[in-house]
Each structure stands twice: as structure tokens, then as C-alpha cells.
Amino acid sequence: MPLNQPSASATVIVGTQFGDEGKGKLVDYLSSKYDIVVRYQGGANAGHTICFDNKTLVLHLIPSGIFHEGCICVIGNGVVIDPNALLEEIRQVEAMGYDVRDRLFISHNAHLIMPYHKLLDSLHESAQNDKKIGTTGRGIGPSYMDKFARKGIRVVDLLNPEVLEEKLRDNLEAKNKLIKNIYDTEEIDVEAIVREYSEFDEIINPYVKNTQLFLNKKLREGKTVLLEGAQGCLLDVDHGTYPYVTSSNPTSGGASTGSGIAPNYIRNVIGVCKAYMTRVGNGAFPSELFDETGDKLGRIGHEFGATTGRKRRCGWLDLVALRYSLIINGVTEIALTKLDVLDAFEEVKVCTSYMLDGKEIVDFPTDDQTLSRVEPVYRTLKGWNTSNAEARTFEDMHPDSRAFVHFIEEETGVPVSCISVGPGREETVFR
Ligand code: IMP
């Protein structure tokens, strides 16, 4: 199915690497072609950067479809929501002149990120010495911990002040014991939190919906749905480089559980892949570069975290990791992003296999101990030393950059259907 001609089904966009693949630009482009855009996991740890009309905006929770009038945006049940962060984002979008009412819906089943989650995230990280994950500090892990421990507070609870207060007091009592006795830190003021969160009911009410039923109903009516993953496959709690992962499922399987959309509605999975690799936070990264080439990729690619501003680690494209990602996600087509960052290189390298204990391996090891011991094996390709920013068809692109794209296709067996040749909306080649 051509990427830019959706039919009545759901399409998932997933990151195939360690996040920050440039999904925001693609979602922004495709949003104009879909009826509904859904976020299905993660929270304000993600940051999708969108550039248009000479403006750059980073969205953490609201799907970027919000900038296309007529597109409905849904924050699914798999997302963890900090209500303060969400309301601030709504304010920012409205200040830019976009209408949010009746276009943004939040799942009543989504879990909340509370101030104690953020505090515990940073206290836990600080206590880790050399085993820090390098989290974004947004309370993501602690919020999902409460969800799976069946202690979480959900969006629907905000609408029932009595239930909310009881749950809050129970949670705060337990968390304060932890904060005081284990981390030797000042306890959280229970009354202030109860007061603050009791005031959300009327503000949040217009956005709350049973989005699981809503989405399935819309699909049955023939509407098109785009599911927008945050982070990337290699940060998936089940399929990524555990324990250096996030606490949710960015992979395409998570799109179904995180939205309630029945899996058989999902026909197309677009795997977003950056033309090189980056990683923020700790954990193995076989093709990481520690030299001027790595710095150059970071400089040209503006590789600083959209949420935390942290410098991203940079390296060459890793096809061992990519092939694994394509399988786990059932990727039907690749969207290759930030190819323009490679425009100024004499030669570009691509990792095609690993050496482990003297043997060549082609399967991606997801355990950090093994992954941190592999040595990348590279294929060197000719650089193109030319900008493709004006290219609008594949044929317009420099032959050596086309050879790079063909090489990825041959090595993975998956077609590259979209290539980003610059940061702007229009600097994109569709095939
Ligand atoms: P957490 O999601 O804040 O718990 O962080 C866990 C790991 O995932 C850390 O290594 C983070 O740097 C990484 N991470 C979380 N969100 C993103 C993202 O949007 N892009 C890239 N890395 C991320």
C-alpha cells in the first residue's frame, strides 16, 4: 500500500533504533492524510520536533496531527500523562492559533504521572552510581511501576474527587515512607497534592473519552488511523537492550495494547530509521564513534535531546540492529530520515555484522553484557558530498546517495519508501 495513500485501516509508525529517528516530521506530514492520529505509549520523555512556517515546536504528549485542522488526536491508554505537562502543551498549541477542543481526546484508562513519580525517578537514578539508566527524569519508570503493581492513578480517577483523594492518600503514604526511610529525603506534602489534583476534574473532563471503543468504532466506519510510537524498538522494555530501556513498548505490538485498536486493523508498519545512529542515556551502542566523525554527525545533525537537551551519542548506521527491529515490528516499509546529515562526508560507513569472540554474527544480541562486547564490521560506501535538499524524486538525488539507499534495501529486504533530505516539511522524497 503506498505510504501516502491510507485506506480504512491503521498504520503504525515506529522508531527502529534508540529513539530520535525523526518520527515527528513524518507523523506531521502524514497527519494531513489521516483522520485520526494516536499516541500509544511513553509520556513526556518523548519530544517530537516539528518545523513548519519557520517555526520549530517540540511536542511531548499531544500528537503532531493537532496542527492539521480536521485531524483528531488521541492520547491512548498506554501513555502515562503528567496533567500539568499536558495542560501546558494544550495552552501552547492554542496560543499558536490551533483549536484543541473536540479534536483532542485522552483515554480514561491512561495512567498519570504524579510529582512523586518524578521525585522517585531522580532519587532512584542518583542512588545507582555506575548503573544509572540515564532516564529523562520525567517519572516514566515509577509511573509504569505503579501501573503494573495495580496502584496507579488513572485519568478517569481525576473525574471522581472522592476516589482520587483516597487513592492519592494511599499512594502518598506508601511513597513518603520510601522517600523518607530509604532515600532520606523530605516527604511530599500530602494536602498540597490532594488540593492541586482535585482541581483537574473540570479542566480535563472535556478531553476524556473511552478512546479504545471510539477508535475501533471509527475504524469500522472506514476512518484512517495513524499510530505514533515514541522512542524506538531498541528501547522497548521487552525487546530492547534491557535494562537500558524505557518502561513501555514502543514496538508495533504496543500500538495495539496501548490504544485498544484490535491488531487485525494494523495493515502497515512504517519503520523510521535515521541514516546514522544516536543514543541518549546509557547502554551498549556497538557502532558508536568517539572521534571527530562522531562529533561531526552530532554537530550537523543537531543531536541534542529534544526533552532533556542532553548531547546524543552518535555512530554509523547499524544494519544488524535495523534488521532485528524490522522483524520485531513487522516493518513493511522504511522511512529513511536525516540523510542530509551525511551530505558532507567523503565516505560513509554502515555496520553489516558483528564480531563476537572471534566469530562473525548477524543476529542482534539484546542483552547488554553481550552487546557491549561485540565489534562492528563495516562496509564503506562512497560519500556524495552534495546536498539533496532540492530533490523531490528519487531520480533527482545524487547517484551515490541513491546507492546508499539501495544498499539498505538489499541488506534488509525492506523497501525504503520515503527519504528525508532536509528538516523542512517539503524536503522529503517519496518513491
Ligand atoms: P525514561 O524513558 O525516562 O525512563 O528513560 C529510559 C531510557 O530511555 C534512557 O536511556 C533515556 O535516555 C531513553 N529515552 C527515553 N525517551 C527517549 C526519547 O524520546 N528519545 C531517546 N531516548 C529516550
Side-chain angles (χ1 to χ4, degrees):
M1 190 191 313
L3 183 141
N4 51 356
Q5 285 173 28
S7 70
S9 62
T11 293
V12 185
I13 293 192
V14 287
T16 59
Q17 298 160 324
F18 293 107
D20 309 319
E21 295 91 353
K23 298 177 288 293
K25 174 177 162 177
L26 188 65
V27 176
D28 172 49
Y29 172 81
L30 290 181
S31 298
S32 62
K33 303 182 182 302
Y34 280 78
D35 300 311
I36 305 172
V37 182
V38 188
R39 264 286 302 272
Y40 59 84
Q41 45 70 232
N45 49 348
H48 283 179
T49 308
I50 303 131
C51 309
F52 63 96
D53 300 340
N54 294 324
K55 281 179 242 162
T56 300
L57 190 85
V58 183
L59 289 177
H60 298 282
L61 282 164
I62 302 178
S64 33
I66 207 73
F67 298 116
H68 295 280
E69 305 284 345
C71 178
I72 290 176
C73 292
V74 171
I75 301 181
N77 55 282
V79 178
V80 281
I81 300 173
D82 173 348
N84 279 314
L86 176 65
L87 293 174
E88 175 54 28
E89 214 162 276
I90 290 175
R91 269 191 288 273
Q92 279 180 14
V93 171
E94 282 178 338
M96 288 176 79
Y98 293 89
D99 200 11
V100 171
R101 282 285 172 106
D102 300 324
R103 289 185 53 224
L104 174 68
F105 298 112
I106 308 162
S107 168
H108 63 319
N109 279 355
H111 280 249
L112 299 182
I113 295 191
M114 307 301 290
Y116 47 82
H117 292 135
K118 287 191 254 184
L119 179 61
L120 286 168
D121 198 357
S122 70
L123 289 174
H124 185 70
E125 277 284 88
S126 313
Q128 289 304 303
N129 299 326
D130 61 337
K131 292 208 171 55
K132 286 185 186 9
I133 304 289
T135 72
T136 57
R138 297 293 193 269
I140 305 295
S143 174
Y144 280 115
M145 277 165 74
D146 278 356
K147 171 175 175 172
F148 288 97
R150 292 155 296 177
K151 292 281 176 208
I153 301 181
R154 303 193 293 176
V155 166
V156 67
D157 298 325
L158 289 175
L159 306 184
N160 189 334
E162 277 165 31
V163 173
L164 176 71
E165 181 167 348
E166 193 186 329
K167 288 192 177 187
L168 263 176
R169 288 190 188 280
D170 282 354
N171 266 286
L172 279 160
E173 194 187 337
K175 303 302 184 223
N176 268 340
K177 278 191 191 142
L178 199 63
I179 289 165
K180 187 172 168 221
N181 300 334
I182 304 289
Y183 293 110
D184 196 19
T185 300
E186 198 179 323
E187 293 176 54
I188 286 184
D189 181 347
V190 178
E191 300 311 321
I193 302 256
V194 169
R195 246 191 336 270
E196 182 184 355
Y197 282 78
S198 304
E199 283 168 12
F200 278 122
D201 58 343
E202 279 180 21
I203 313 173
I204 216 108
N205 196 13
Y207 304 105
V208 181
K209 218 181 192 37
N210 180 335
T211 54
Q212 296 96 298
L213 285 180
F214 171 77
L215 289 169
N216 282 288
K217 187 164 161 264
K218 290 291 169 193
L219 278 160
R220 223 172 299 137
E221 286 170 7
K223 301 288 184 210
T224 56
V225 176
L226 187 66
L227 292 141
E228 170 186 6
Q231 291 88 40
C233 176
L234 306 180
L235 290 177
D236 186 285
V237 69
D238 283 285
H239 306 292
T241 56
Y242 193 89
Y244 297 100
V245 291
T246 190
S247 300
S248 65
N249 291 116
T251 41
S252 56
S256 181
T257 50
S259 66
I261 289 178
N264 48 352
Y265 275 121
I266 299 171
R267 304 279 155 70
N268 214 24
V269 180
I270 303 169
V272 184
C273 169
K274 194 144 65 176
Y276 53 100
M277 301 272 283
T278 58
R279 179 166 199 167
V280 212
N282 296 329
F285 179 1
S287 62
E288 181 169 12
L289 293 164
F290 299 94
D291 56 7
E292 163 53 25
T293 309
D295 288 345
K296 185 171 166 183
L297 286 171
R299 238 183 359 259
I300 302 176
H302 306 291
E303 296 295 354
F304 292 89
T307 300
T308 58
R310 286 181 291 177
K311 194 169 185 264
R312 296 177 184 144
R313 302 153 65 192
C314 295
W316 294 119
L317 177 63
D318 181 344
L319 293 180
V320 184
L322 179 61
R323 281 191 294 256
Y324 167 76
S325 239
L326 300 179
I327 293 168
I328 294 293
N329 290 290
V331 169
T332 49
E333 51 197 301
I334 295 172
L336 187 66
T337 57
K338 295 186 96 164
L339 185 68
D340 51 299
V341 175
L342 300 184
D343 284 351
F345 285 81
E346 289 297 324
E347 56 181 35
V348 290
K349 289 190 180 182
V350 181
C351 167
T352 51
S353 61
Y354 297 149
M355 292 304 289
L356 178 67
D357 299 330
K359 287 202 189 90
E360 188 175 22
I361 60 165
V362 289
D363 286 339
F364 185 69
T366 51
D367 69 296
D368 193 68
Q369 289 79 3
T370 310
L371 194 63
S372 55
R373 289 196 301 114
V374 303
E375 283 296 323
V377 175
Y378 289 112
R379 174 75 73 85
T380 303
L381 304 179
K382 241 172 103 184
W384 42 96
N385 261 308
T386 312
S387 168
N388 284 309
E390 302 294 316
R392 293 297 171 267
T393 68
F394 193 55
E395 289 63 40
D396 295 339
M397 290 173 55
H398 189 280
D400 291 322
S401 63
R402 294 206 304 258
F404 178 80
V405 176
H406 283 309
F407 184 68
I408 295 171
E409 293 184 314
E410 281 156 21
E411 287 281 319
T412 61
V414 178
V416 174
S417 56
C418 162
I419 304 156
S420 176
V421 291
R425 248 183 197 173
E426 64 299 339
E427 289 169 329
T428 309
V429 169
F430 288 97
R431 295 165 80 200

PDB file of all heavy atoms in Angstrom, residues 13 41 109 111 259 262 330 378 431:
ATOM      1  N   ILE A  13       3.632   3.949  13.029  1.00  0.00           N
ATOM      2  CA  ILE A  13       4.965   4.492  12.782  1.00  0.00           C
ATOM      3  C   ILE A  13       5.831   4.136  13.988  1.00  0.00           C
ATOM      4  O   ILE A  13       5.508   4.528  15.113  1.00  0.00           O
ATOM      5  CB  ILE A  13       4.914   6.018  12.606  1.00  0.00           C
ATOM      6  CG1 ILE A  13       4.153   6.355  11.328  1.00  0.00           C
ATOM      7  CG2 ILE A  13       6.310   6.608  12.583  1.00  0.00           C
ATOM      8  CD1 ILE A  13       4.269   7.770  10.878  1.00  0.00           C
ATOM      9  N   GLN A  41       2.128   5.015  23.733  1.00  0.00           N
ATOM     10  CA  GLN A  41       2.968   4.638  24.887  1.00  0.00           C
ATOM     11  C   GLN A  41       3.890   5.796  25.261  1.00  0.00           C
ATOM     12  O   GLN A  41       3.936   6.810  24.573  1.00  0.00           O
ATOM     13  CB  GLN A  41       3.782   3.384  24.617  1.00  0.00           C
ATOM     14  CG  GLN A  41       4.489   3.265  23.288  1.00  0.00           C
ATOM     15  CD  GLN A  41       5.664   4.181  23.037  1.00  0.00           C
ATOM     16  OE1 GLN A  41       5.716   4.880  22.016  1.00  0.00           O
ATOM     17  NE2 GLN A  41       6.645   4.196  23.928  1.00  0.00           N
ATOM     18  N   ASN A 109      -8.432   5.489  30.556  1.00  0.00           N
ATOM     19  CA  ASN A 109      -7.618   4.445  31.203  1.00  0.00           C
ATOM     20  C   ASN A 109      -6.133   4.789  31.289  1.00  0.00           C
ATOM     21  O   ASN A 109      -5.363   4.011  31.852  1.00  0.00           O
ATOM     22  CB  ASN A 109      -7.745   3.124  30.430  1.00  0.00           C
ATOM     23  CG  ASN A 109      -9.017   2.380  30.790  1.00  0.00           C
ATOM     24  OD1 ASN A 109      -9.751   2.801  31.680  1.00  0.00           O
ATOM     25  ND2 ASN A 109      -9.279   1.292  30.107  1.00  0.00           N
ATOM     26  N   HIS A 111      -2.688   6.158  32.555  1.00  0.00           N
ATOM     27  CA  HIS A 111      -2.204   6.393  33.921  1.00  0.00           C
ATOM     28  C   HIS A 111      -1.552   7.768  34.032  1.00  0.00           C
ATOM     29  O   HIS A 111      -1.073   8.321  33.043  1.00  0.00           O
ATOM     30  CB  HIS A 111      -1.206   5.299  34.314  1.00  0.00           C
ATOM     31  CG  HIS A 111      -1.901   4.038  34.724  1.00  0.00           C
ATOM     32  ND1 HIS A 111      -1.897   3.574  36.009  1.00  0.00           N
ATOM     33  CD2 HIS A 111      -2.670   3.182  34.006  1.00  0.00           C
ATOM     34  CE1 HIS A 111      -2.617   2.455  36.067  1.00  0.00           C
ATOM     35  NE2 HIS A 111      -3.096   2.197  34.865  1.00  0.00           N
ATOM     36  N   SER A 259      -3.492   1.302  22.594  1.00  0.00           N
ATOM     37  CA  SER A 259      -4.573   2.119  22.027  1.00  0.00           C
ATOM     38  C   SER A 259      -5.913   1.395  22.128  1.00  0.00           C
ATOM     39  O   SER A 259      -6.974   2.015  22.053  1.00  0.00           O
ATOM     40  CB  SER A 259      -4.305   2.416  20.542  1.00  0.00           C
ATOM     41  OG  SER A 259      -4.367   1.207  19.796  1.00  0.00           O
ATOM     42  N   ALA A 262      -7.812  -3.218  17.741  1.00  0.00           N
ATOM     43  CA  ALA A 262      -7.602  -4.644  17.508  1.00  0.00           C
ATOM     44  C   ALA A 262      -6.452  -4.828  16.520  1.00  0.00           C
ATOM     45  O   ALA A 262      -6.363  -4.098  15.522  1.00  0.00           O
ATOM     46  CB  ALA A 262      -8.885  -5.263  16.969  1.00  0.00           C
ATOM     47  N   GLY A 330       7.580  -6.054  12.301  1.00  0.00           N
ATOM     48  CA  GLY A 330       6.865  -6.379  11.066  1.00  0.00           C
ATOM     49  C   GLY A 330       6.841  -5.192  10.117  1.00  0.00           C
ATOM     50  O   GLY A 330       5.809  -4.903   9.490  1.00  0.00           O
ATOM     51  N   TYR A 378      32.295  -3.146   9.287  1.00  0.00           N
ATOM     52  CA  TYR A 378      31.732  -2.075   8.448  1.00  0.00           C
ATOM     53  C   TYR A 378      31.900  -2.337   6.957  1.00  0.00           C
ATOM     54  O   TYR A 378      32.891  -2.921   6.527  1.00  0.00           O
ATOM     55  CB  TYR A 378      32.427  -0.742   8.767  1.00  0.00           C
ATOM     56  CG  TYR A 378      32.056  -0.169  10.116  1.00  0.00           C
ATOM     57  CD1 TYR A 378      32.997  -0.106  11.142  1.00  0.00           C
ATOM     58  CD2 TYR A 378      30.775   0.307  10.355  1.00  0.00           C
ATOM     59  CE1 TYR A 378      32.665   0.434  12.387  1.00  0.00           C
ATOM     60  CE2 TYR A 378      30.438   0.839  11.589  1.00  0.00           C
ATOM     61  CZ  TYR A 378      31.388   0.899  12.594  1.00  0.00           C
ATOM     62  OH  TYR A 378      31.050   1.415  13.807  1.00  0.00           O
ATOM     63  N   ARG A 431       8.809   7.614  -2.834  1.00  0.00           N
ATOM     64  CA  ARG A 431       9.046   6.742  -4.006  1.00  0.00           C
ATOM     65  C   ARG A 431       7.828   5.896  -4.298  1.00  0.00           C
ATOM     66  O   ARG A 431       7.123   5.481  -3.387  1.00  0.00           O
ATOM     67  CB  ARG A 431      10.232   5.831  -3.736  1.00  0.00           C
ATOM     68  CG  ARG A 431      11.506   6.600  -3.601  1.00  0.00           C
ATOM     69  CD  ARG A 431      12.561   5.725  -2.984  1.00  0.00           C
ATOM     70  NE  ARG A 431      13.154   4.819  -3.966  1.00  0.00           N
ATOM     71  CZ  ARG A 431      13.800   3.702  -3.627  1.00  0.00           C
ATOM     72  NH1 ARG A 431      13.888   3.359  -2.371  1.00  0.00           N
ATOM     73  NH2 ARG A 431      14.325   2.933  -4.548  1.00  0.00           N
TER      74      ARG A 431
END
